[in-house]
Amino acid sequence: MLVPVADIRRVALDALSQISPPDHAAIQVDVLVEAELRGVASHGLLRLPRIIRRIRNGVTDPGAAGSHEWRKAGFLAVDGQRGLGPVVADRAIAALRERVAETGIAVAAIRNSNHIGMLGYYAENAARQGFTMIALSTSEALVHPWGGRKAMIGTNPIAIGVPTGGEPFMMDTATSVISMGEIHDHANRGAPIPEHWALDANGNPTTDASAAKFGAIAPFGEAKGYALGLGFELLVSSLAGAAIGSDVKGTLDDTNVCNKGDLFILIDGPQASLLDYLEDIRAAQPAAGFERVLIPGERGRQAKERRMHEGITLPDDIWNEIRAFAGSTEGNH
Amino acid sequence: MLVPVADIRRVALDALSQISPPDHAAIQVDVLVEAELRGVASHGLLRLPRIIRRIRNGVTDPGAAGSHEWRKAGFLAVDGQRGLGPVVADRAIAALRERVAETGIAVAAIRNSNHIGMLGYYAENAARQGFTMIALSTSEALVHPWGGRKAMIGTNPIAIGVPTGGEPFMMDTATSVISMGEIHDHANRGAPIPEHWALDANGNPTTDASAAKFGAIAPFGEAKGYALGLGFELLVSSLAGAAIGSDVKGTLDDTNVCNKGDLFILIDGPQASLLDYLEDIRAAQPAAGFERVLIPGERGRQAKERRMHEGITLPDDIWNEIRAFAGSTEGNH
C-alpha cells in the first residue's frame, strides 16, 4: 500500500505515543521513517510492532534516555537504562557534540539500550552538522567466522559520516554479506539465495533461504570482512561493557532485555572540501554492466527525495498492524 | 636466502644508519623486520632500498620526527616534516598515550610523513600496552570504485587492536581485494591472477597480472568494500589535510614528497577479558575445506615465533642490495 509520508508519521507516532512519552516516540519514529524513505525496509516500520510489544513486555523502558558517566574528558559511558535505542543514542551524541568543542574527539560507549535502527542516520546527521562520525553497533550472532560453521558474530555494521562542504558523505554497511532480513524475504517469496550467502543449521552451504534462516550468514568479503566484523565485536563489546557473540539478545525478540553495544566516535570538523573528488568519482566512466558509478549513500538520498513526494509503499499487514496499535485514539484527531 | 633475524637487523640498521640518526633507523628497521617475521613481505625489507633512495633524493628527511599541534585537548595535528613514517607515527602515538590518561580517547592526524609500513604493528603494540586502537592510512590511488574502470582510491588499510586480557587482538587489512605487491609477484612469476582481482589499463577485467599492473585493483567485498575504502579516503584526507585520490604520491616512488595521510585513534582500556569468546571461535568446528577457524593476526604471530628461530627467507637481490648499502661500514664491525 502506498501511503503519504505525513500519514505514516502521524499514525506511527499515535501508535507509539500510547505507551511512550511523545518526544521519545517522535525520535524513534523519525529513525524508522528515515530508513523507509531510503529504502532500508529492514530497519523501517516493520520494527515498530516489535518495539511496542517490547515496551508492553517491560523489556524496553520508553521513558528512559540513558544515564551518562564521563569516565574521562572524552569518554562517555552510557547505561541506556533499557531505553528506546534512538532516544539513548540521540542524547549521547548531543553530549558528544558539546564536548568535542573542547576535546576535538569524544566517544560514547552505550550498553543496555535497544536497537538504534539505521546507523547511517546518526552518521549523516553528524556530518550535516559539521562533525566526522564513526558509528559501530553489535547484534545477535548471525554471522559465521570465515572457515566456520556456526553463527558466532553479529552483523556488526559500521557507518561513517564526513562533512564535504556540500551534501555530507555517508556510508553504512553491515559486515555480513547480506542481512537476515533479506534472507527472510527470500524465504517468504520461496526464492533461492545466491551461493556463498549462507550456511544451513549444520554449517553446510545452502541456496535454500528457509534453511539459511536457521543457519549462519557469511561475512562480506570472506576473510577480510570476517576480520573486520570480529574486530568491531571485540571493540564495541569491551568498550561498552556489552554482551558478546551468542550471548547477545534483544534486537530480534520481544522478551529479552537488549544487551548489545553501540559506539559513536565524534570528531570536530574538518572543514575541507571534498566535492571535486566526489564529483570526479560520480563522473567516472562506468565499467561494463554498470550504468554509472555511485557514491555510497546517494542512491538512498535520491530515493528519499522521491518518496517524500510519492509516499512510501508498506506491506499491508504492517501498515494495518500499526494502524491497529494507533486505533484507540485515532478518533481523537 | 635464509638469514638469521639478528643478521638482518644488524645489516639493515647499518645500511640505514649511514644516512639516518641511528635511533630513527632502529624504529624504521623494526617495522620492516616485524612485517617480514609475520610473512607480510610487501611491507618488509623490500622497502628499505627505496627508503634509502628517497633520503638520498631529499624527499625524506631522516632526522625529522614531526611537529605536534594539539588543536583540541584530544586532537593532535601532526606535520610529519617528511620524516620516516614509523618515526613520525611512533612519536605521535607516544603523545596520544600520555593524553588519553586524561581524555580517554585521542586522535593523531598525520600529513607530510612517509610510508608507515604494516599498520597492524602499531595496533598490536597499542593493545599490548592496554589501549584500543583504530589505525587508518591512505595510499596512491590503486583501487577502482565499484562499477568504475580507473583507479581513484587508495588501498586504504584499517588495523584494529584490542586488549583481551591475554595476547592482544589485532586485525589489519587493506580495503583492496589484494595488494599491488601480490599482482607484481604474479607478473614476475608469469602466473595469471584470479578473475575479479583487477582491471587492465582500459578498465576491462583481466587475469593477466602484467596488464593488471597498469590497471586498477578491485575493492574487497564489492560495493561494501568500496564504500569502506572511500569512507577511509575521505576521513583520513580531510582530517589530516593530506592529498586525496590520484593526487597521492610518494609511497611507491623515489622522487615525490609523500603526501598521503595517517590516522591513529587511541582509546584508554578497556580491561574486559575477551579470552573465552576468542577461544570459542578458535575451537569452533571448521567448515568443509578448512582445517580450522583462525583468529585474525594469529597466523602471523605464529609465523613470527617460527622465524625468530629459523630466520627469514629474503630474495637474494634484496638481501644483496641491502648488504651493499651497508657495505661501506661493514668492515668496522
Side-chain angles (χ1 to χ4, degrees), chain A residues 17-70:
Chain A
S17 296
Q18 313 260 327
I19 45 169
S20 164
D23 56 332
H24 289 187
I27 295 170
Q28 175 70 70
V29 166
D30 194 50
V31 173
L32 298 177
V33 170
E34 191 70 21
E36 290 288 349
L37 286 167
R38 291 176 190 245
V40 191
S42 61
H43 287 57
L45 271 296
L46 164 70
R47 299 220 171 222
L48 187 55
R50 164 150 297 146
I51 290 166
I52 292 172
R53 287 194 298 269
R54 288 181 58 80
I55 296 173
R56 286 186 177 166
N57 291 340
V59 289
T60 295
D61 175 359
S67 70
H68 290 187
E69 181 199 348
W70 285 99

Side-chain angles (χ1 to χ4, degrees), chain A residues 72-74 101-105 147 149 152 160 169 173-174 176 220 224 226 228 234 238 244 268 270 277 286-287 290 294, chain B residues 72-74 101-105 147 149 152-153 169 173-174 176 220 224 226 228 234-235 238 244 268 270 277 286-287 294:
Chain A
K72 298 274 170 78
E102 173 195 330
T103 58
I105 184 171
R149 286 179 179 268
M152 302 182 79
I160 296 174
F169 172 84
T173 184
S176 54
F220 94 96
K224 285 174 177 255
Y226 159 51
L228 209 54
L234 297 168
S238 62
I244 199 164
D268 193 28
Y277 175 61
F290 288 83
L294 297 167
Chain B
K72 299 276 169 78
E102 172 197 329
T103 57
I105 183 171
R149 286 177 179 269
M152 303 183 79
I153 304 168
F169 172 85
T173 184
S176 53
F220 93 97
K224 286 174 178 257
Y226 159 53
L228 210 54
L234 296 168
L235 199 147
S238 63
I244 199 163
D268 192 28
Y277 175 61
L294 297 168

Side-chain angles (χ1 to χ4, degrees), chain A:
Chain A
M1 190 174 303
L2 186 68
V3 189
V5 178
D7 290 2
I8 293 183
R9 276 193 199 278
R10 181 177 50 79
V11 175
L13 196 56
D14 278 353
L16 190 52
S17 296
Q18 313 260 327
I19 45 169
S20 164
D23 56 332
H24 289 187
I27 295 170
Q28 175 70 70
V29 166
D30 194 50
V31 173
L32 298 177
V33 170
E34 191 70 21
E36 290 288 349
L37 286 167
R38 291 176 190 245
V40 191
S42 61
H43 287 57
L45 271 296
L46 164 70
R47 299 220 171 222
L48 187 55
R50 164 150 297 146
I51 290 166
I52 292 172
R53 287 194 298 269
R54 288 181 58 80
I55 296 173
R56 286 186 177 166
N57 291 340
V59 289
T60 295
D61 175 359
S67 70
H68 290 187
E69 181 199 348
W70 285 99
R71 293 221 182 122
K72 298 274 170 78
F75 191 102
L76 179 63
V78 179
D79 174 349
Q81 302 173 314
R82 303 190 184 185
L84 292 165
V87 172
V88 175
D90 210 53
R91 203 66 64 93
I93 294 166
L96 295 183
R97 272 201 309 266
E98 280 191 35
R99 186 53 58 100
V100 296
E102 173 195 330
T103 58
I105 184 171
V107 58
I110 304 176
R111 64 182 185 81
N112 199 21
S113 174
N114 284 283
H115 192 261
I116 60 174
M118 181 195 170
L119 211 50
Y121 174 88
Y122 308 96
E124 181 164 322
N125 282 349
R128 200 176 290 284
Q129 295 160 352
F131 302 96
T132 296
M133 178 181 273
I134 302 173
L136 303 171
S137 186
T138 55
S139 82
E140 275 82 348
L142 294 171
V143 178
H144 63 77
W146 183 242
R149 286 179 179 268
K150 299 260 179 217
M152 302 182 79
I153 303 167
T155 52
N156 300 357
I158 178 172
I160 296 174
V162 184
T164 67
E167 280 295 292
F169 172 84
M170 182 273 278
M171 64 77 62
D172 175 1
T173 184
T175 49
S176 54
V177 74
I178 198 75
S179 71
M180 188 50 97
E182 273 292 322
I183 287 177
H184 279 257
D185 184 52
H186 280 71
N188 293 344
R189 291 187 285 110
I193 55 171
E195 280 184 61
H196 310 304
W197 269 19
L199 307 175
D200 65 19
N202 296 317
N204 294 314
T206 185
T207 57
D208 176 355
S210 299
K213 280 165 61 174
F214 304 101
I217 312 172
F220 94 96
E222 306 187 344
K224 285 174 177 255
Y226 159 51
L228 209 54
L230 179 59
F232 295 162
E233 180 97 20
L234 297 168
L235 199 148
V236 173
S237 163
S238 62
L239 288 171
I244 199 164
S246 52
D247 290 339
V248 176
K249 293 183 168 54
T251 81
L252 300 170
D253 65 69
D254 296 346
T255 53
N256 288 296
V257 171
C258 186
N259 58 5
K260 53 78 192 158
D262 312 307
L263 201 75
F264 294 101
I265 298 174
L266 197 75
I267 303 176
D268 193 28
Q271 307 291 334
S273 173
L274 302 168
L275 298 178
D276 287 351
Y277 175 61
L278 289 171
E279 184 52 33
D280 283 351
I281 293 181
R282 221 176 268 118
Q285 196 192 352
F290 288 83
E291 223 174 284
R292 57 200 175 91
V293 178
L294 297 167
I295 303 288
E298 291 193 348
R299 195 164 40 180
R301 206 176 290 153
Q302 285 154 12
K304 175 180 173 177
E305 282 171 26
R306 197 177 62 244
R307 290 195 178 98
M308 289 292 284
H309 296 291
E310 295 177 4
I312 294 170
T313 303
L314 289 179
D316 289 0
D317 54 341
I318 292 172
W319 179 231
N320 289 334
E321 194 176 2
I322 295 170
R323 285 169 68 193
F325 277 121
S328 52
T329 58
E330 194 68 333
N332 298 339
H333 291 272

Side-chain angles (χ1 to χ4, degrees), chain A residues 104-105 131-134 161-163 267-272 274, chain B residues 71 75-78 107-111 136 232-242 261-263 265:
Chain A
I105 184 171
F131 302 96
T132 296
M133 178 181 273
I134 302 173
V162 184
I267 303 176
D268 193 28
Q271 307 291 334
L274 302 168
Chain B
R71 294 224 181 120
F75 190 103
L76 179 63
V78 179
V107 59
I110 304 176
R111 63 182 186 81
L136 302 172
F232 294 163
E233 181 97 21
L234 296 168
L235 199 147
V236 173
S237 163
S238 63
L239 287 171
D262 312 307
L263 201 75
I265 298 174

